[in-house]
Amino acid sequence: MMRNIVPVLTVVAAIFAIWYAAAVALNAPWAYNKAERAGVSLTTSELISDTWSQQKPKLPAPHQVGAELWNTTGEMVAKGRGFSKRSLIYHSWVTFSATGLGFLLGTALGIALAIGIVYNRTMDMSVMPWVIASQTIPILAIAPMIIVVLNAVGISGLLPKAMISMYLSFFPVVVGMVKGLRSPGPMQLDQMRTWNATPTQTFWKLRLPSSMPYLFTSLKIGMAASLVGAIVGELPTGAVAGLGARLLAGSYYGQTIQIWSALIMAATLAACLVGLIGLVQRIVLKRMGMA
């Protein structure tokens, strides 16, 4: 157990050390500027103290981000205002709603396309190149187009953000499922033919079970991509709720601490969602005798 924990703690400690040092380096010019205007000189300890306590630093120190996270999560929950519009829990829920819907749509689309590509040579030759080409378009360019088109037909709110999430999440599912459905070897497929199995029976009894490890790996990537899509989808809509809205508001008013707290919250949300998929993966593969 300790062999696994020590390397992780070492990396975390190194990240925090680099973060604190970077905060001093990036925030020092403003500290020196204030001291020069006040006609005083800063000692090393005073410089470090100033750079780690500025209200609008270029790079907030970890403890400043931690305090902001506590003020907008733990303290709000303690006061019974966990879903207040000032709470990051509320904004995380808004972003999660679009993420979850987009992830489900992307997974369904990805699995359907993968089945078509594996069982239909025409789709394999025609659809797969377009699936790959679709990911060459920057999401920041296509997101406003999706929002405008859907708004033009009267669709707004959750669905446009979910569509952007779906656009990012379906690709890894397609690639992973195609690889997984094609993973059975020639001998296994010949054995199914020997048993006179139909293509449908081969799919349910051989191809689909064989694809599970590939599918779950793809779902983890797809979930992370879906969260990115939901956050990006909140930016061009001028959303007032969601982690993307918090990032946008922080950039407008130069609140870097708010920006970093929203980023950390987004990373935490992604880690929890990916971890949940990993838990389901272990349960499913264990029941299938693959773990």
Side-chain angles (χ1 to χ4, degrees):
M1 185 68 175
M2 289 300 297
R3 291 179 181 179
N4 296 330
I5 294 177
V6 171
V8 174
L9 294 179
T10 302
V11 172
V12 171
I15 291 174
F16 273 89
I18 294 171
W19 190 346
Y20 271 112
V24 174
L26 292 175
N27 300 330
W30 175 244
Y32 283 127
N33 183 269
K34 289 190 299 180
E36 183 179 351
R37 286 183 294 172
V40 298
S41 58
L42 294 175
T43 63
T44 301
S45 60
E46 290 173 337
L47 174 65
I48 293 175
S49 177
D50 187 285
T51 55
W52 288 354
S53 60
Q54 294 176 6
Q55 290 186 351
K56 293 185 178 182
K58 289 183 179 179
L59 176 63
H63 67 269
Q64 291 180 291
V65 178
E68 176 69 11
L69 285 170
W70 169 253
N71 293 335
T72 52
T73 52
E75 187 176 348
M76 300 294 285
V77 172
K79 293 179 179 179
R81 299 174 59 194
F83 278 86
S84 165
K85 291 186 178 181
R86 293 186 62 252
S87 170
L88 277 180
I89 297 175
Y90 166 75
H91 292 286
S92 297
W93 172 255
V94 172
T95 299
F96 169 72
S97 300
T99 300
L101 180 57
F103 175 73
L104 292 177
L105 293 174
T107 299
L109 177 62
I111 292 175
L113 288 175
I115 294 172
I117 289 169
V118 169
Y119 279 93
N120 189 297
R121 181 167 177 77
T122 302
M123 285 192 66
D124 186 17
M125 300 299 293
S126 60
V127 175
M128 194 61 178
W130 284 105
V131 169
I132 297 172
S134 69
Q135 300 305 299
T136 63
I137 304 174
I139 188 60
L140 290 176
I142 199 172
M145 296 169 58
I146 295 175
I147 300 295
V148 170
V149 170
L150 292 180
N151 281 336
V153 296
I155 300 176
S156 59
L158 181 65
L159 189 56
K161 294 186 290 183
M163 294 292 288
I164 297 170
S165 293
M166 180 190 72
Y167 176 80
L168 287 182
S169 64
F170 89 98
F171 177 73
V173 177
V174 172
V175 175
M177 276 300 287
V178 168
K179 180 69 174 177
L181 292 174
R182 288 175 173 169
S183 62
M187 293 185 65
Q188 293 173 302
L189 295 172
D190 287 341
Q191 183 67 57
M192 296 300 291
R193 295 189 191 99
T194 302
W195 290 337
N196 201 28
T198 64
T200 301
Q201 291 173 324
T202 301
F203 173 78
W204 288 107
K205 299 296 184 180
L206 178 61
R207 290 189 184 274
L208 186 61
S210 299
S211 70
M212 285 296 103
Y214 299 88
L215 174 61
F216 280 109
T217 301
S218 300
L219 290 181
K220 293 177 183 179
I221 300 172
M223 177 59 80
S226 183
L227 179 60
V228 172
I231 293 175
V232 171
E234 291 169 350
L235 301 180
T237 60
V240 296
L243 296 176
R246 292 284 291 182
L247 292 172
L248 200 60
S251 66
Y252 280 158
Y253 300 105
Q255 297 290 344
T256 53
I257 299 177
Q258 176 179 314
I259 293 173
W260 276 84
S261 64
L263 287 173
I264 297 298
M265 196 67 178
T268 303
L269 177 60
C272 291
L273 294 175
V274 172
L276 180 61
I277 294 175
L279 177 61
V280 175
Q281 177 184 10
R282 287 193 295 272
I283 295 173
V284 171
L285 295 186
K286 185 176 181 179
R287 289 179 65 88
M288 295 176 67
M290 294 185 181

